[in-house]
PDB file of all heavy atoms in Angstrom:
ATOM      1  N   THR A 808      -0.888   2.322   0.228  1.00 95.00           N
ATOM      2  CA  THR A 808       0.101   3.281   0.704  1.00 95.00           C
ATOM      3  C   THR A 808       0.163   4.460  -0.263  1.00 95.00           C
ATOM      4  O   THR A 808      -0.532   4.485  -1.270  1.00 95.00           O
ATOM      5  CB  THR A 808       1.478   2.590   0.871  1.00 95.00           C
ATOM      6  OG1 THR A 808       2.376   3.467   1.533  1.00 95.00           O
ATOM      7  CG2 THR A 808       2.062   2.146  -0.457  1.00 95.00           C
ATOM      8  N   GLY A 809       1.021   5.411   0.044  1.00 93.00           N
ATOM      9  CA  GLY A 809       1.205   6.573  -0.815  1.00 93.00           C
ATOM     10  C   GLY A 809       2.583   6.579  -1.445  1.00 93.00           C
ATOM     11  O   GLY A 809       3.475   5.831  -1.041  1.00 93.00           O
ATOM     12  N   ASP A 810       2.755   7.457  -2.424  1.00 94.00           N
ATOM     13  CA  ASP A 810       4.028   7.527  -3.127  1.00 94.00           C
ATOM     14  C   ASP A 810       5.165   7.959  -2.208  1.00 94.00           C
ATOM     15  O   ASP A 810       6.273   7.431  -2.299  1.00 94.00           O
ATOM     16  CB  ASP A 810       3.937   8.437  -4.356  1.00 94.00           C
ATOM     17  CG  ASP A 810       3.439   9.838  -4.043  1.00 94.00           C
ATOM     18  OD1 ASP A 810       2.384   9.965  -3.393  1.00 94.00           O
ATOM     19  OD2 ASP A 810       4.088  10.812  -4.471  1.00 94.00           O
ATOM     20  N   GLY A 811       4.896   8.894  -1.307  1.00 92.00           N
ATOM     21  CA  GLY A 811       5.952   9.341  -0.395  1.00 92.00           C
ATOM     22  C   GLY A 811       6.461   8.220   0.477  1.00 92.00           C
ATOM     23  O   GLY A 811       7.677   8.010   0.607  1.00 92.00           O
ATOM     24  N   GLU A 812       5.540   7.470   1.063  1.00 92.00           N
ATOM     25  CA  GLU A 812       5.943   6.343   1.906  1.00 92.00           C
ATOM     26  C   GLU A 812       6.663   5.282   1.089  1.00 92.00           C
ATOM     27  O   GLU A 812       7.675   4.733   1.520  1.00 92.00           O
ATOM     28  CB  GLU A 812       4.720   5.744   2.599  1.00 92.00           C
ATOM     29  CG  GLU A 812       5.082   4.602   3.517  1.00 92.00           C
ATOM     30  CD  GLU A 812       3.901   4.029   4.269  1.00 92.00           C
ATOM     31  OE1 GLU A 812       2.739   4.393   3.992  1.00 92.00           O
ATOM     32  OE2 GLU A 812       4.143   3.192   5.145  1.00 92.00           O
ATOM     33  N   MET A 813       6.172   4.991  -0.113  1.00 95.00           N
ATOM     34  CA  MET A 813       6.809   3.976  -0.949  1.00 95.00           C
ATOM     35  C   MET A 813       8.219   4.399  -1.338  1.00 95.00           C
ATOM     36  O   MET A 813       9.147   3.589  -1.320  1.00 95.00           O
ATOM     37  CB  MET A 813       5.965   3.733  -2.204  1.00 95.00           C
ATOM     38  CG  MET A 813       6.375   2.507  -2.991  1.00 95.00           C
ATOM     39  SD  MET A 813       5.822   0.966  -2.231  1.00 95.00           S
ATOM     40  CE  MET A 813       7.267   0.453  -1.345  1.00 95.00           C
ATOM     41  N   LEU A 814       8.394   5.689  -1.673  1.00 94.00           N
ATOM     42  CA  LEU A 814       9.733   6.174  -2.011  1.00 94.00           C
ATOM     43  C   LEU A 814      10.693   6.037  -0.833  1.00 94.00           C
ATOM     44  O   LEU A 814      11.875   5.761  -1.022  1.00 94.00           O
ATOM     45  CB  LEU A 814       9.666   7.633  -2.467  1.00 94.00           C
ATOM     46  CG  LEU A 814       9.106   7.848  -3.869  1.00 94.00           C
ATOM     47  CD1 LEU A 814       8.714   9.313  -4.066  1.00 94.00           C
ATOM     48  CD2 LEU A 814      10.096   7.400  -4.929  1.00 94.00           C
ATOM     49  N   MET A 815      10.191   6.219   0.380  1.00 93.00           N
ATOM     50  CA  MET A 815      11.044   6.107   1.568  1.00 93.00           C
ATOM     51  C   MET A 815      11.395   4.663   1.901  1.00 93.00           C
ATOM     52  O   MET A 815      12.314   4.411   2.673  1.00 93.00           O
ATOM     53  CB  MET A 815      10.366   6.757   2.774  1.00 93.00           C
ATOM     54  CG  MET A 815      10.180   8.236   2.645  1.00 93.00           C
ATOM     55  SD  MET A 815      11.788   9.045   2.589  1.00 93.00           S
ATOM     56  CE  MET A 815      11.292  10.736   2.430  1.00 93.00           C
ATOM     57  N   GLY A 816      10.660   3.710   1.324  1.00 92.00           N
ATOM     58  CA  GLY A 816      10.906   2.300   1.637  1.00 92.00           C
ATOM     59  C   GLY A 816      11.085   1.442   0.404  1.00 92.00           C
ATOM     60  O   GLY A 816      10.580   0.318   0.349  1.00 92.00           O
ATOM     61  N   LEU A 817      11.813   1.936  -0.597  1.00 93.00           N
ATOM     62  CA  LEU A 817      11.953   1.201  -1.853  1.00 93.00           C
ATOM     63  C   LEU A 817      12.578  -0.180  -1.675  1.00 93.00           C
ATOM     64  O   LEU A 817      12.254  -1.107  -2.417  1.00 93.00           O
ATOM     65  CB  LEU A 817      12.779   2.006  -2.859  1.00 93.00           C
ATOM     66  CG  LEU A 817      12.087   3.219  -3.462  1.00 93.00           C
ATOM     67  CD1 LEU A 817      13.044   3.981  -4.361  1.00 93.00           C
ATOM     68  CD2 LEU A 817      10.839   2.814  -4.218  1.00 93.00           C
ATOM     69  N   GLY A 818      13.422  -0.324  -0.679  1.00 94.00           N
ATOM     70  CA  GLY A 818      14.055  -1.622  -0.453  1.00 94.00           C
ATOM     71  C   GLY A 818      13.050  -2.721  -0.157  1.00 94.00           C
ATOM     72  O   GLY A 818      13.311  -3.905  -0.422  1.00 94.00           O
ATOM     73  N   SER A 819      11.899  -2.339   0.372  1.00 94.00           N
ATOM     74  CA  SER A 819      10.891  -3.354   0.684  1.00 94.00           C
ATOM     75  C   SER A 819      10.384  -4.046  -0.580  1.00 94.00           C
ATOM     76  O   SER A 819       9.978  -5.208  -0.529  1.00 94.00           O
ATOM     77  CB  SER A 819       9.732  -2.734   1.464  1.00 94.00           C
ATOM     78  OG  SER A 819       9.055  -1.771   0.682  1.00 94.00           O
ATOM     79  N   LEU A 820      10.412  -3.365  -1.715  1.00 95.00           N
ATOM     80  CA  LEU A 820       9.962  -3.993  -2.962  1.00 95.00           C
ATOM     81  C   LEU A 820      10.854  -5.177  -3.336  1.00 95.00           C
ATOM     82  O   LEU A 820      10.349  -6.222  -3.768  1.00 95.00           O
ATOM     83  CB  LEU A 820       9.938  -2.970  -4.102  1.00 95.00           C
ATOM     84  CG  LEU A 820       8.886  -1.870  -3.973  1.00 95.00           C
ATOM     85  CD1 LEU A 820       9.080  -0.822  -5.072  1.00 95.00           C
ATOM     86  CD2 LEU A 820       7.484  -2.448  -4.013  1.00 95.00           C
ATOM     87  N   ALA A 821      12.153  -5.040  -3.160  1.00 96.00           N
ATOM     88  CA  ALA A 821      13.070  -6.146  -3.461  1.00 96.00           C
ATOM     89  C   ALA A 821      12.843  -7.308  -2.505  1.00 96.00           C
ATOM     90  O   ALA A 821      12.883  -8.478  -2.912  1.00 96.00           O
ATOM     91  CB  ALA A 821      14.519  -5.663  -3.398  1.00 96.00           C
ATOM     92  N   THR A 822      12.570  -6.998  -1.250  1.00 97.00           N
ATOM     93  CA  THR A 822      12.310  -8.053  -0.261  1.00 97.00           C
ATOM     94  C   THR A 822      11.014  -8.782  -0.581  1.00 97.00           C
ATOM     95  O   THR A 822      10.945 -10.011  -0.521  1.00 97.00           O
ATOM     96  CB  THR A 822      12.266  -7.460   1.158  1.00 97.00           C
ATOM     97  OG1 THR A 822      13.500  -6.783   1.406  1.00 97.00           O
ATOM     98  CG2 THR A 822      12.048  -8.535   2.197  1.00 97.00           C
ATOM     99  N   VAL A 823       9.981  -8.045  -0.948  1.00 97.00           N
ATOM    100  CA  VAL A 823       8.707  -8.668  -1.329  1.00 97.00           C
ATOM    101  C   VAL A 823       8.920  -9.558  -2.555  1.00 97.00           C
ATOM    102  O   VAL A 823       8.440 -10.695  -2.602  1.00 97.00           O
ATOM    103  CB  VAL A 823       7.620  -7.607  -1.601  1.00 97.00           C
ATOM    104  CG1 VAL A 823       6.399  -8.231  -2.260  1.00 97.00           C
ATOM    105  CG2 VAL A 823       7.222  -6.900  -0.311  1.00 97.00           C
ATOM    106  N   ALA A 824       9.628  -9.052  -3.559  1.00 97.00           N
ATOM    107  CA  ALA A 824       9.874  -9.835  -4.772  1.00 97.00           C
ATOM    108  C   ALA A 824      10.640 -11.111  -4.453  1.00 97.00           C
ATOM    109  O   ALA A 824      10.351 -12.174  -5.014  1.00 97.00           O
ATOM    110  CB  ALA A 824      10.634  -8.998  -5.797  1.00 97.00           C
ATOM    111  N   MET A 825      11.591 -11.032  -3.549  1.00 96.00           N
ATOM    112  CA  MET A 825      12.384 -12.200  -3.176  1.00 96.00           C
ATOM    113  C   MET A 825      11.521 -13.245  -2.466  1.00 96.00           C
ATOM    114  O   MET A 825      11.618 -14.440  -2.747  1.00 96.00           O
ATOM    115  CB  MET A 825      13.541 -11.762  -2.271  1.00 96.00           C
ATOM    116  CG  MET A 825      14.467 -12.880  -1.875  1.00 96.00           C
ATOM    117  SD  MET A 825      15.804 -12.297  -0.823  1.00 96.00           S
ATOM    118  CE  MET A 825      14.904 -11.848   0.650  1.00 96.00           C
ATOM    119  N   GLN A 826      10.647 -12.804  -1.567  1.00 96.00           N
ATOM    120  CA  GLN A 826       9.782 -13.727  -0.836  1.00 96.00           C
ATOM    121  C   GLN A 826       8.621 -14.230  -1.689  1.00 96.00           C
ATOM    122  O   GLN A 826       8.123 -15.321  -1.481  1.00 96.00           O
ATOM    123  CB  GLN A 826       9.245 -13.054   0.431  1.00 96.00           C
ATOM    124  CG  GLN A 826      10.316 -12.734   1.453  1.00 96.00           C
ATOM    125  CD  GLN A 826      10.945 -13.991   2.032  1.00 96.00           C
ATOM    126  OE1 GLN A 826      10.262 -14.955   2.328  1.00 96.00           O
ATOM    127  NE2 GLN A 826      12.254 -13.972   2.185  1.00 96.00           N
ATOM    128  N   ALA A 827       8.161 -13.404  -2.615  1.00 96.00           N
ATOM    129  CA  ALA A 827       7.151 -13.735  -3.623  1.00 96.00           C
ATOM    130  C   ALA A 827       5.839 -14.320  -3.098  1.00 96.00           C
ATOM    131  O   ALA A 827       5.363 -15.320  -3.612  1.00 96.00           O
ATOM    132  CB  ALA A 827       7.758 -14.661  -4.676  1.00 96.00           C
ATOM    133  N   PRO A 828       5.214 -13.681  -2.113  1.00 97.00           N
ATOM    134  CA  PRO A 828       3.910 -14.187  -1.671  1.00 97.00           C
ATOM    135  C   PRO A 828       2.837 -13.910  -2.728  1.00 97.00           C
ATOM    136  O   PRO A 828       2.617 -12.766  -3.110  1.00 97.00           O
ATOM    137  CB  PRO A 828       3.636 -13.405  -0.384  1.00 97.00           C
ATOM    138  CG  PRO A 828       4.398 -12.131  -0.564  1.00 97.00           C
ATOM    139  CD  PRO A 828       5.616 -12.486  -1.385  1.00 97.00           C
ATOM    140  N   GLU A 829       2.190 -14.954  -3.200  1.00 96.00           N
ATOM    141  CA  GLU A 829       1.201 -14.804  -4.266  1.00 96.00           C
ATOM    142  C   GLU A 829      -0.048 -14.074  -3.817  1.00 96.00           C
ATOM    143  O   GLU A 829      -0.828 -13.612  -4.653  1.00 96.00           O
ATOM    144  CB  GLU A 829       0.834 -16.177  -4.828  1.00 96.00           C
ATOM    145  CG  GLU A 829       1.978 -16.830  -5.570  1.00 96.00           C
ATOM    146  CD  GLU A 829       1.601 -18.151  -6.199  1.00 96.00           C
ATOM    147  OE1 GLU A 829       0.410 -18.525  -6.177  1.00 96.00           O
ATOM    148  OE2 GLU A 829       2.507 -18.811  -6.727  1.00 96.00           O
ATOM    149  N   ASN A 830      -0.255 -13.943  -2.515  1.00 96.00           N
ATOM    150  CA  ASN A 830      -1.474 -13.329  -1.977  1.00 96.00           C
ATOM    151  C   ASN A 830      -1.302 -11.849  -1.642  1.00 96.00           C
ATOM    152  O   ASN A 830      -2.186 -11.252  -1.048  1.00 96.00           O
ATOM    153  CB  ASN A 830      -1.929 -14.088  -0.727  1.00 96.00           C
ATOM    154  CG  ASN A 830      -0.880 -14.107   0.380  1.00 96.00           C
ATOM    155  OD1 ASN A 830       0.317 -14.116   0.118  1.00 96.00           O
ATOM    156  ND2 ASN A 830      -1.331 -14.141   1.612  1.00 96.00           N
TER     157      ASN A 830
END
Side-chain angles (χ1 to χ4, degrees):
T808 189
D810 55 309
E812 182 177 8
M813 192 76 263
L814 285 164
M815 295 295 180
L817 288 176
S819 64
L820 292 173
T822 303
V823 169
M825 183 180 67
Q826 294 294 318
E829 292 183 7
N830 59 328

